[in-house]
Amino acid sequence: MATPITASAFITALEKEGVTVEEVRDWRNHNRNHKGPWGPVHGVVIHHTVTSGAQATVDLIYDGRSDLPGPLSHGAITKDGTVHLVGHGRANHAGLGDDDVLRAVIAEKAPPSPNQMNTDGNRYFYGFECENLGDGDDPWPDAQLDAIERAAAALCRHHGWHARSVIGHLEWTNQKSDPRGFTMDAMRDRIAARLK
């Protein structure tokens, strides 16, 4: 069980991990806390955006859509490797997922294949939306993969978590395919190596 990181500590943790950070508008006060609790936090969910273009992506993740208000994550990671902080608090990113997966994340074990939508992931997870078309063809530049690794590792280091605390959206619910274009096992290997 972990108390969510403060906004200031989030910036410090990212910068200590070597992340290029951009603060977006009023991100420190931008959240969906009126819709339910945020925390205790147990892990990090990685997403792809199905968008192209850094500014348009960051604006979308901050503002949300007509059917899903922002923030749509805590950070938007653009192809140049910048982590744009867009929210602090509850964010509309994980949605409903499988409580068996949550238990595996808490135990830092390999998650089972998700088959239920019975748990509010927005309460329990940090989220990073990563600029990519999500078609399996759009490239993931080295700078972006490095930023995903460093951002996830920063939160793991802050909370004393291991790489198994980081999952893809597709590992949380069988309704999603993201991130597409790299494997979460490969990303967790990178995060584990960084945390050593």
Side-chain angles (χ1 to χ4, degrees):
M1 181 183 304
T3 301
I5 194 169
T6 66
S8 294
F10 195 10
I11 292 174
T12 299
L14 290 169
E15 290 179 342
K16 276 187 180 176
E17 214 62 52
V19 174
T20 300
V21 177
E22 181 74 31
E23 298 184 63
V24 180
R25 296 184 248 164
D26 188 30
W27 76 275
R28 292 169 185 258
N29 301 302
H30 189 45
N31 57 60
R32 303 287 296 162
N33 289 356
H34 63 286
K35 290 294 185 181
W38 185 45
V41 287
H42 297 297
V44 181
V45 178
I46 305 300
H47 307 263
H48 65 227
T49 59
V50 193
T51 61
S52 181
Q55 191 60 56
T57 296
V58 171
D59 287 343
L60 174 67
I61 303 308
Y62 188 98
D63 295 327
R65 310 185 306 255
S66 60
D67 62 327
L68 192 67
L72 302 184
S73 69
H74 299 97
I77 303 179
T78 48
K79 285 187 177 285
D80 66 356
T82 301
V83 176
H84 305 261
L85 296 176
V86 294
H88 184 259
R90 185 181 175 91
N92 276 333
H93 72 100
L96 292 175
D98 194 320
D99 62 345
D100 293 329
V101 174
L102 179 62
R103 280 191 285 276
V105 170
I106 292 169
E108 296 187 317
K109 295 180 178 177
S113 295
N115 61 7
Q116 300 181 88
M117 296 178 66
N118 60 8
T119 302
D120 173 17
N122 296 336
R123 175 178 184 175
Y124 296 115
F125 290 103
Y126 298 102
F128 290 106
E129 284 279 1
C130 307
E131 177 194 354
N132 191 275
L133 292 175
D135 58 6
D137 294 321
D138 191 17
W140 291 90
D142 289 342
Q144 188 178 30
L145 292 172
D146 183 65
I148 296 167
E149 169 196 326
R150 289 172 186 267
L155 288 169
C156 288
R157 199 181 302 281
H158 174 83
H159 288 295
W161 296 336
H162 300 289
R164 276 278 170 214
S165 296
V166 183
I167 60 173
H169 202 187
L170 77 172
E171 294 174 303
W172 176 238
T173 171
N174 60 11
Q175 304 299 302
K176 298 292 182 177
S177 63
D178 54 319
R180 197 164 171 215
F182 65 88
T183 69
M184 285 306 303
D185 283 339
M187 181 54 68
R188 279 188 289 266
D189 286 346
R190 293 176 63 144
I191 294 164
R194 174 164 292 281
L195 290 172
K196 281 184 179 174

